[in-house]
């Protein structure tokens, strides 16, 4: 079983920064993609950013240039540095892990990010 534990959410003023972390534990194959999704009330869950174990990253369109995803493979940990935050970035942010070997997707419990104007 795989567990993902997120941390780093909170309340920040517009223009501020936050750094999210997500640590994975359990049976995780070395070939995986870790990422972040977010879901605002009444909206679907959208991709924020994802990064493969080899380092290739991709971002949702509205995050490019403001958010940076990185990972530490030895710790099965993924980070999301969020800068120039806007009120529309307010959402619950979920960590994800796609195990490319088992083709399973796992989710964290979510962490709230609130950006005040």
């Amino acid at each position: 079983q795989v567990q993902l534990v997120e941390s780093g959410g909170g309340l920040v003023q517009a223009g501020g920064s936050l750094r999210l972390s997500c640590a994975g534990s359990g049976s995780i194959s070395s070939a995986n993609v870790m990422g972040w999704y977010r879901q605002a009330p009444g909206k679907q869950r959208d991709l924020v950013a994802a990064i493969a174990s080899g380092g290739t990253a991709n971002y949702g369109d509205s995050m490019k240039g403001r958010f940076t995803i990185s990972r530490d493979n030895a710790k099965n940990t993924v980070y999301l540095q969020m800068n120039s935050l806007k009120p529309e970035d307010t959402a619950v942010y979920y960590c994800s892990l796609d195990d490319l070997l088992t083709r399973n997707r796992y989710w964290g419990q979510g962490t709230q990010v609130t950006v005040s104007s």
Side-chain angles (χ1 to χ4, degrees), residues 16-56:
S17 298
L18 280 176
R19 187 187 193 219
L20 305 182
S21 300
C22 172
S25 61
S27 300
I28 301 173
S29 68
S30 58
N32 62 72
V33 179
M34 297 189 77
W36 293 93
Y37 288 73
R38 69 185 186 186
Q39 187 167 21
K43 296 189 176 181
Q44 66 182 21
R45 190 173 296 188
D46 291 328
L47 173 71
V48 176
I51 184 167
S53 46
T56 301

Side-chain angles (χ1 to χ4, degrees), residues 4 10-11 14 16 20 22 29 31 35 40 42 46-47 51-53 58 65 68 76 83 87-88 100 104 108 113:
L4 301 173
L11 173 65
L20 305 182
C22 172
S29 68
D46 291 328
L47 173 71
I51 184 167
S53 46
N58 63 291
T68 303
N76 285 321
N83 299 327
E88 51 264 43
L100 301 181
N104 289 326
V113 171

Side-chain angles (χ1 to χ4, degrees), residues 40-100:
K43 296 189 176 181
Q44 66 182 21
R45 190 173 296 188
D46 291 328
L47 173 71
V48 176
I51 184 167
S53 46
T56 301
N58 63 291
Y59 296 86
D61 287 341
S62 65
M63 297 75 171
K64 290 178 181 177
R66 298 190 298 125
F67 294 3
T68 303
I69 192 168
S70 60
R71 63 183 290 164
D72 183 334
N73 288 339
K75 298 179 180 178
N76 285 321
T77 299
V78 64
Y79 307 96
L80 184 69
Q81 178 67 42
M82 303 186 292
N83 299 327
S84 302
L85 283 162
K86 306 174 182 179
E88 51 264 43
D89 294 317
T90 295
V92 178
Y93 284 68
Y94 295 93
C95 176
S96 69
L97 186 146
D98 292 328
D99 190 314
L100 301 181

